[in-house]
Amino acid sequence: MAQISELEIPLELNNDIQWHTLAPGEALALLQVDSAAQGLSEAEAQKRVERYGPNELVEHGLKSPFKILWEQLTAVMVLILLAAAGLSLFLGKFLEAWAILAIVALFVLLGFFQEYRAERAIAALKKLAVPCSRVYRDGMVKELPARELVPGDVILLEAGNILPADLRVLESANLRAQESILTGESEPVEKSAAALPSPDLTLSERYNMLYMGTQVTYGRGLGLVVQTGMQTELGKIATLIQAVRESMTPLQAQLDRVGKQLALAGVIVALLVIMIGIYGGEVLSQMILTGISLAVAVIPEGLPAVVTVTLALGAQKMLKRNALIRKLPAVETLGSVTTICSDKTGTLTENSLTVTVIEVAGTRLDMSGNSPLSQLEPTRESFKYERSASVTLLLTGIALCNDAWLEPVNGTDQFQAIGDPTEVALLRAAVQSGINLEKLHQNLPRVGELPFDSGRKRMMTVHRWTPPSMEFLQPVFRFWRNWGIDTTQPYLAINKGAVDVLLTLCSSYLDEGGNLHPLQAGQRESIMASNNRLAAGGMRVLGVAFRLCDKPDLTLSDERDLIYVGMIGMVDPPRPEAKQAVISCINAGIRPVMITGDHPLTAGYIASELGFSGGDAVINGADLDDLDDLQLAAILDEHSVFARVIPEHKLRIVEALQKKGEVVAMTGDGVNDAPALKKADIGVAMGLTGTDVAKEAADMVLRDDNFATIVAAVEEGRVIYDNLRRFINFSVAGNIGKVAIMLLWPLPFMLFGLPLTASVALLPLQLLWLNLITDGLLGLSMGMEGAEQDVMRRPPRSPGRGIFSGGMGLHIAWVGLLIGFVGLAVGFVYYRAGQPYWQTMIFTTAAFLQIFQALATRSTYQSLFSIGVFSNRVMWFFILLIAVLQLMALYSPMVIFMGLKPLPPFELMLCVGLGSTVFIAVEIEKIILRRRRKA
Ligand code: ADP
Ligand code: MG
């Protein structure tokens, strides 16, 4: 292949080059990559980023600031206000018009900034959710975010990856990809590296290509990035995919309905007030303005926006506690979770596994002297020389049949093991026992494999073995000849997996002396007994078996006649915080359920350690297969620990729990977990050990893989829901109060048989002020309340229940009416006394009523004094602000155009005092509620 100078690489590679017709070497040469394992240099990659741009799809989803502003300006409420301003202008009421416009400006700005913040918060979350790839750069494997990939990068592929770019397959070990988003074909397609002769093949026929956005469902391999960003096949159709916008959350939908009903009520009320005014002899135009202002007071236009903002900011808070929200409705659903189904390994346990026991044919070796630290040097020199051929074979097996790898630690000459924690532990044990990995890989290169799969609970790798040149393997080969194995077969297959599964594939075993024997019932039993003993102590146990074979590409049917070598026991202590989290789950009325692929005894041990109910009655996954849905439901009533489960069982368990009316959170990490994650109300993926596919299917990703994080997210979810409810409680009751004042104003006149000489209680501007300043600002601070003391000590809210349930509807009604009554009473008394400031009294009392209402509403059951009077700083800031504004309205030139009169000091104090009545009343209600709760 002729060298092509840099400038000759076409900028839009897709047009001219048929990558699938090229041999892997040709493709590499065309992209000027010297060798796949070397990859690009960082400097070259940098140049290419500048040339081709970042590898990302142009995001059309994010709203521009102008769009947000436009949406704010065209909101129904703003339009109504603008109409009111226009009408005021038309009527010659310039002051009012300007005041309304000022309020509009304030409202739009506030709304704009809130929404802008929310939008940024969501965008930031989306950025975090981007998967990383393992890339060869400068001859080393690096973990890079997808946007930094350039054409020419060589990336490592494995089951569970979502492909970050368009790739030419360089190597394939049973690589299979699910390409339905591009081709519509739902069955995974087998991929290989060989060139295809025909240039015009459809995407689905290009078996040596992989496309951005599709998924690797099986196998492992190597791919060469040929197209990035908008040049990829997905990029060409990306506009179609991005058109999908997030739908409303159930709460948003419910509030949208409530909002519409309130709007209708507002129109009716406005009409009624207009009629009352006209009956009282008021000017029609003036009354229309009053009607409009009242309608504005009733219509809760801000509601849906408040929900979005609260949820988005809630998601941000959850992120601080390591829970990354991928779908906004999850924030809300989390608050109502009733069952959390969790993996064991890594979620409930620390996932810092350490090999402590090796057992070969009845001989147990204590490995607990092994350093659990990242130290990767032989730590037990003597062990290196003492060990038998069988032990060497076992250690060789766990080092070779292993996908963890060593990476240099920055700035030192040390190495650290990276990969699945189980495999890291095994690799570490092998190295610490004196296995030389480099030599091993040279002499026994991997040429084939059947990857690990949590359904099969094992994996197999195939290695070419050259006649024994390695001194430390000499005894093994000598034994092999003794065992009568045909050592001319060129391939060594190593299988590692759950001991119980492995034994079903074995037909012989090695004894203490290293001799080969047929595996009879007695030996099977004693091996199983050893396995159970270790598992019962909470250990994760893996076995190793092998065979020699004559071809590298094995299939599942070749996993037979294996020779059993031995087992390895690893300890993985329960996370200390998991115990606390399980307790808080139970206190919060949430049931923790353990679902693991591990051994029943290991599961049972950890479950009892952590305080799960039923740790001693573990259900085996295989037993679920024979149950019908009813029987499964019965099992789920009584048992909380499930072991040796395959991913398909997870789906059944989720469905059965949901049928019982539970709101289920389910964790998962593998490709096969995706259906269960999608089905669960909250699908939870592991951030550290999870595959891209699992993350993509999940609603939430745990950045620390920690069970306690799920519980923390549930707590945040409850707080957020409480705050939304509190906000609605506050504003709807306040609105009812103001409507009552306006609507019932004629009532006292009628009761006392008096003519209606003043037909409106409040002027339009005063109403607008109360609605937007007092109510609006206080409402905002209602959403910033911290957790109530009992958030995690009460049962979950039932998901079907509406937002007004649980006595809140009643509470709203009486508080609203009380506010109305106090306002009316003070106004009427002062009006009858002939005071010119009677209207100012209503206005000021209403404002203070709302301030006190806000303070009382901060907690549903707890008294303000027990939650801390000043614990909501934001609210106090707004209260002070409102107080200052209120005083300005009374005692500055504003008084004129607000239609107010300055109040004498006693009257001002009276308004404050009357305002506190609602506080006292609500606190009394809380005392009654607390008593009733205890009883
Ligand atoms: P969990 O994570 O719930 O413990 P998994 O589905 O990951 O369960 O694993 C199930 C079983 O598969 C384990 O108990 C173990 O016996 C086996 N196993 C786990 N990881 C590996 C691995 N890397 N290689 C071989 N076998 C494994
Ligand atoms: Mg696992």
Side-chain angles (χ1 to χ4, degrees), residues 343 345 420 422 452 454 540 669:
D343 271 356
T345 312
D420 176 68
T422 304
F452 173 70
S454 50
R540 189 172 176 81
D669 49 12

Side-chain angles (χ1 to χ4, degrees), residues 375-640:
Q375 195 179 353
L376 277 169
E377 279 148 30
T379 47
R380 299 183 34 152
E381 279 301 315
S382 56
F383 184 70
K384 187 170 159 186
Y385 299 106
E386 280 164 18
R387 64 180 184 226
S388 68
S390 308
V391 171
T392 303
L393 193 55
L394 186 74
L395 292 172
T396 308
I398 60 178
L400 283 176
C401 185
N402 194 316
D403 292 327
W405 73 100
L406 295 182
E407 209 172 79
V409 178
N410 267 349
T412 65
D413 53 359
Q414 298 258 330
F415 284 85
Q416 83 193 105
I418 311 280
D420 176 68
T422 304
E423 309 222 306
V424 165
L426 295 175
L427 195 64
R428 199 183 283 150
V431 173
Q432 287 178 350
S433 306
I435 295 284
N436 182 329
L437 285 183
E438 211 173 322
K439 266 203 209 162
L440 204 57
H441 288 304
Q442 261 168 26
N443 288 282
L444 293 155
R446 191 193 285 193
V447 288
E449 66 194 284
L450 293 168
F452 173 70
D453 174 291
S454 50
R456 288 173 41 231
K457 307 203 183 333
R458 62 182 184 271
M459 65 186 276
M460 179 145 80
T461 55
V462 185
H463 304 265
R464 183 160 4 92
W465 70 293
T466 34
S469 55
M470 290 150 73
E471 149 220 11
F472 80 94
L473 272 180
Q474 283 292 2
V476 176
F477 293 122
R478 202 164 52 237
F479 273 115
W480 283 2
R481 280 188 293 274
N482 292 350
W483 300 329
I485 294 176
D486 171 13
T487 48
T488 58
Q489 295 187 84
Y491 299 106
L492 168 69
I494 304 170
N495 203 316
K496 138 173 146 293
V499 174
D500 34 343
V501 180
L502 215 55
L503 276 189
T504 62
L505 310 170
C506 291
S507 57
S508 48
Y509 77 102
L510 301 181
D511 73 7
E512 243 160 313
N515 299 309
L516 194 65
H517 296 281
L519 192 62
Q520 267 141 5
Q523 282 86 37
R524 280 180 202 274
E525 262 160 42
S526 81
I527 292 171
M528 285 306 284
S530 287
N531 180 22
N532 290 351
R533 249 197 322 277
L534 295 179
M539 271 188 210
R540 189 172 176 81
V541 188
L542 285 182
V544 171
F546 75 96
R547 63 177 286 201
L548 290 182
C549 48
D550 50 12
K551 61 181 196 320
D553 40 349
L554 300 187
T555 61
L556 293 184
S557 60
D558 295 309
E559 286 184 305
R560 63 185 154 78
D561 289 335
L562 301 180
I563 305 166
Y564 174 81
V565 184
M567 65 180 89
I568 309 104
M570 288 163 274
V571 289
D572 184 18
R575 288 177 182 261
E577 65 272 31
K579 193 164 185 171
Q580 192 47 49
V582 168
I583 294 173
S584 51
C585 261
I586 293 168
N587 285 339
I590 299 168
R591 182 155 78 123
V593 173
M594 180 193 288
I595 300 183
T596 175
D598 216 336
H599 193 284
L601 290 169
T602 313
Y605 176 86
I606 302 286
S608 328
E609 286 286 290
L610 289 174
F612 275 70
S613 64
D616 44 355
V618 180
I619 300 292
N620 212 316
D623 296 344
L624 299 182
D625 293 329
D626 309 325
L627 303 179
D628 62 27
D629 289 354
L630 266 180
Q631 287 166 317
L632 179 60
I635 290 274
L636 280 166
D637 278 337
E638 279 168 28
H639 297 272
S640 301

